[in-house]
Amino acid sequence: MKRIIYALQWLVISFSIHAADDLKLTLVEPQFKEKYSSNVPVSGRVISGVMMRSIKSTNQFFIDLPTLETETICFRVQSKDGTYFSSNEYKITDKGFAGKISPEYPTQYQDILEGFNASELALLAFVGSCSEKKLNNVLVSSRSNETSPGFVVILVSSGRSDVFLSALAANGKRKSLKCKRLIKGKRTAYDTECSVKVKDLVLGTNELSIIRRKGGRMLPSVKFNVIVSS
Amino acid sequence: MKYAALPIKLFSLISGRLRVKKIEITNLSFFMKLFLLSIVVGSIGYILISDRENIFTVRGETENITIVFSNDNLNQWDLSDATLLLDITAPDDLVTLPIDSFFMPNVDTTARVVIRNQESKPSQLIITLESDGKSVGEIETADKVIQLPRYAEITIDINQSRVLPLDGYIRVGEDVGLGVDSLLLSGEVSIVEKQFFREERYVATEHKLDTGDRVELHNSVDIDSLAKAKGFIRITSSNPLAFTIHGEAKAVKVHRLGSNSYHITPSIWPRITNDPIIAAFSSLLAIIFLLLEFADLIGKLLFSPRTADEKDDESSSIAKKP
């Protein structure tokens, strides 16, 4: 009897895994847009990445997808040293799906992407078109299906300013956290890492803002929403 | 030139000895010579490539410098007349420090010092302090001690010259990127090396830095390990920060735009000209070669066996005698 139960469990689990694998975000345009060279144009956005750290860094990316009304999301990948950049729009085929989903990513630089360590590659997925100037609803991405629980990391291109992350805590009070300046290596695409505890985020929309101070002056704050679905 | 001839000499010595196998004593002499040569060449090689104590000096002009403080007492900064910001959420709540206010940082506090030039106003020095611990340190004034939080910003109008001493892990300059507005302007790295036996030192390497470089002292070329250094920043009105940093290290790492970062390490060639021990050993090697060549020549003249032609010549000359 136990064996039958185990066999059924195995069937259910393997079916669900394969079902998740089959359900992928597909590219809107057939041509995959990516660049790798010493002088790749860097995105002018302050937010370069919103991601969960992965236990193992692979080149199979995952996006924590909530149930969305819109059909399109933009997924950007950029390396800290500014040598790699990709920006592509994806079509959500099953609007009812919520959970981790792997976008179609036909890169020709697999080895190079795997060579970037945890802090050297920023993933940014947001709802809407890649051409949108303002970043509104950001989704949490990861470099593998196995994420290390605890923190959501926000990678910021601050122009070497002092960065603080302002988040609404579970008790309703706004909390400011000092972000950490990245020191090692070239910091062309981003230079700061903000970590926010997962337990400080709520399921659904979280209003966050990036506060910057540089040269004795406050810079305009950058507000955005992080959507957590699982 | 004498070193260039070394392999030729060795080859001629060996091939010459292989031709003359007849006398046992000559073989013994050949191995003795080879042994002697190996010792001298090995000693020179060891002295040439052995690890030395190097003092790295980085000096120049910059618009920014970053230090992670050590626990050295040198790290006390005079912040008279400075303005202090303690809470980022209340940027207008500033505290003006009185004369004789001294900042004493906690260990591992990071200080970023940036100069900001303003038109028709004195330049401003902006010091940002941050720490992973509870406090970046404290400021002692004549009548009280201000305990600082994990983040603080200090602004000083530069009306007079100041010197900020440094002891810790120092980085000069920023790598060029979006929004970066302060850089290393110019500088040079010099490496002062200790002689092999004596306490005296000589300048082993000098290297110019470019505008926009980012420079760090490292304990190793293979792993990212910053070396502790001492130095100071001299601050004068309307000028960039003049800095001098000294530290015992293995390399200076330079991050340069458009290229991979590289290390500046002492070259072995200045040792040949500057280290008297190497000069002495080189002379010794030259003398040994000269003596060996001379001994070889004498040996050939005195002990080499006569050839058949020589014997024929001798016998014919005896036969011709009346």
Side-chain angles (χ1 to χ4, degrees):
Chain A
M1 188 62 189
K2 272 186 179 175
R3 283 183 182 176
I4 295 166
I5 293 168
Y6 285 142
L8 279 170
Q9 274 182 343
W10 182 81
L11 274 172
V12 169
I13 290 165
S14 59
F15 175 75
S16 60
I17 288 167
H18 282 98
D21 279 349
D22 292 340
L23 186 73
K24 286 188 178 177
L25 286 169
T26 49
L27 288 162
V28 171
E29 289 177 30
Q31 198 183 0
F32 183 73
K33 292 172 197 161
E34 67 175 346
K35 275 184 183 175
Y36 176 74
S37 75
S38 60
N39 53 358
V40 162
V42 176
S43 162
R45 288 179 193 275
V46 173
I47 311 295
S48 294
V50 175
M51 55 200 285
M52 290 275 279
R53 287 269 188 258
S54 301
I55 293 163
K56 190 184 166 193
S57 294
T58 64
N59 61 343
Q60 192 182 7
F61 304 124
F62 283 85
I63 299 169
D64 192 7
L65 197 72
T67 312
L68 292 171
E69 286 179 7
T70 48
E71 276 188 348
T72 314
I73 64 164
C74 178
F75 184 54
R76 275 189 183 153
V77 179
Q78 56 186 328
S79 64
K80 185 172 70 127
D81 62 4
T83 54
Y84 180 83
F85 181 78
S86 79
S87 180
N88 292 281
E89 276 175 27
Y90 290 86
K91 194 165 57 187
I92 305 165
T93 48
D94 182 3
K95 278 190 186 176
F97 177 82
K100 281 185 181 171
I101 187 166
S102 180
E104 189 185 354
Y105 206 81
T107 178
Q108 53 177 316
Y109 304 110
Q110 286 189 8
D111 293 343
I112 288 158
L113 288 177
E114 279 180 22
F116 291 118
N117 71 27
S119 63
E120 286 175 345
L121 203 65
L123 313 182
L124 180 72
F126 56 93
V127 179
S129 162
C130 288
S131 58
E132 279 179 24
K133 298 288 176 205
K134 198 173 179 314
L135 200 65
N136 289 318
N137 296 319
V138 182
L139 312 175
V140 182
S141 313
S142 59
R143 286 179 75 179
S144 135
N145 203 7
E146 296 169 54
T147 50
S148 38
F151 292 93
V152 168
V153 177
I154 297 152
L155 298 159
V156 181
S157 171
S158 77
R160 312 294 186 270
S161 56
D162 295 324
V163 181
F164 295 80
L165 178 77
S166 175
L168 207 61
N171 59 8
K173 286 185 179 174
R174 197 154 270 280
K175 197 171 157 185
S176 286
L177 305 161
K178 176 79 183 80
C179 299
K180 196 176 164 188
R181 174 85 61 93
L182 297 170
I183 300 293
K184 287 182 182 174
K186 280 185 190 166
R187 300 158 297 169
T188 311
Y190 55 92
D191 59 4
T192 306
E193 184 182 292
C194 306
S195 296
V196 59
K197 285 179 187 167
V198 173
K199 67 174 186 183
D200 288 340
L201 298 172
V202 293
L203 275 177
T205 306
N206 294 272
E207 285 178 27
L208 303 179
S209 66
I210 295 288
I211 300 166
R212 295 169 296 156
R213 188 170 173 86
K214 185 180 181 184
R217 287 178 300 175
M218 297 304 292
L219 299 176
S221 65
V222 178
K223 289 179 181 158
F224 62 104
N225 298 327
V226 172
I227 303 173
V228 179
S229 69
S230 59
Chain B
M1 281 305 286
K2 58 193 172 192
Y3 300 107
L6 180 71
I8 299 161
K9 279 177 185 287
L10 268 174
F11 178 74
S12 65
L13 195 72
I14 292 163
S15 59
R17 283 308 101 197
L18 286 174
R19 278 201 304 272
V20 186
K21 287 183 180 174
K22 293 169 189 170
I23 307 165
E24 284 292 320
I25 196 160
T26 317
N27 272 340
L28 185 68
S29 150
F30 163 67
F31 285 115
M32 279 294 288
K33 286 171 185 175
L34 200 64
F35 178 67
L36 199 65
L37 267 176
S38 307
I39 289 176
V40 175
V41 171
S43 305
I44 291 176
Y46 175 72
I47 296 168
L48 208 58
I49 60 169
S50 64
D51 232 8
R52 303 283 184 94
E53 194 183 286
N54 294 307
I55 296 173
F56 285 71
T57 300
V58 188
R59 63 173 74 83
E61 290 189 330
T62 184
E63 290 169 328
N64 66 61
I65 193 164
T66 305
I67 176 172
V68 179
F69 290 109
S70 70
N71 59 355
D72 198 286
N73 286 335
L74 189 70
N75 293 321
Q76 290 188 14
W77 291 359
D78 181 359
L79 299 181
S80 302
D81 298 325
T83 311
L84 183 63
L85 171 71
L86 298 173
D87 185 1
I88 190 80
T89 57
D92 297 327
D93 290 352
L94 302 169
V95 179
T96 304
L97 297 170
I99 290 173
D100 287 344
S101 298
F102 299 99
F103 167 60
M104 271 148 283
N106 285 339
V107 181
D108 292 338
T109 291
T110 303
R112 280 191 281 275
V113 183
V114 179
I115 195 156
R116 192 173 71 161
N117 293 317
Q118 305 179 109
E119 273 184 32
S120 68
K121 278 184 181 178
S123 301
Q124 278 188 327
L125 188 74
I126 296 159
I127 305 166
T128 310
L129 303 163
E130 65 176 82
S131 167
D132 289 336
K134 283 183 179 174
S135 162
V136 292
E138 58 187 31
I139 293 173
E140 276 185 23
T141 64
D143 55 353
K144 64 178 176 180
V145 175
I146 305 168
Q147 202 68 40
L148 300 172
R150 292 174 67 181
Y151 174 86
E153 186 190 274
I154 295 155
T155 308
I156 305 168
D157 287 330
I158 307 167
N159 297 315
Q160 60 183 52
S161 301
R162 286 175 194 252
V163 171
L164 302 180
L166 313 166
D167 187 293
Y169 303 95
I170 302 166
R171 288 183 171 91
V172 186
E174 286 286 357
D175 43 332
V176 178
L178 191 71
V180 175
D181 54 8
S182 59
L183 298 170
L184 169 82
L185 300 177
S186 64
E188 65 171 22
V189 177
S190 59
I191 305 170
V192 179
E193 193 166 69
K194 189 174 164 281
Q195 287 180 4
F196 190 72
F197 280 128
R198 298 160 72 189
E199 284 301 315
E200 287 179 27
R201 290 167 192 276
Y202 55 88
V203 177
T205 304
E206 280 182 325
H207 187 95
K208 285 258 180 217
L209 297 170
D210 270 359
T211 305
D213 282 351
R214 186 163 166 243
V215 189
E216 302 158 351
L217 262 67
H218 277 246
N219 275 325
S220 166
V221 176
D222 304 317
I223 52 165
D224 258 1
S225 162
L226 283 188
K228 219 165 94 167
K230 278 183 197 292
F232 61 87
I233 313 168
R234 188 165 177 272
I235 304 145
T236 49
S237 183
S238 304
N239 289 315
L241 306 170
F243 68 92
T244 303
I245 298 159
H246 307 288
E248 277 184 29
K250 291 280 179 256
V252 166
K253 191 173 184 180
V254 180
H255 300 269
R256 184 165 288 177
L257 184 69
S259 64
N260 289 329
S261 52
Y262 66 94
H263 292 91
I264 301 170
T265 50
S267 163
I268 60 166
W269 301 115
R271 291 180 182 178
I272 295 167
T273 49
N274 292 300
D275 197 323
I277 299 297
I278 291 180
F281 266 87
S282 308
S283 308
L284 187 66
L285 187 69
I287 291 166
I288 286 171
F289 272 129
L290 192 72
L291 287 175
L292 287 177
E293 203 67 35
F294 189 65
D296 199 40
L297 196 68
I298 297 285
K300 271 181 188 168
L301 283 173
L302 294 179
F303 302 112
S304 64
R306 287 176 298 172
T307 60
D309 292 343
E310 282 173 344
K311 279 178 184 173
D312 287 347
D313 288 349
E314 196 179 332
S315 58
S316 61
S317 65
I318 291 166
K320 279 178 190 173
K321 277 183 183 173

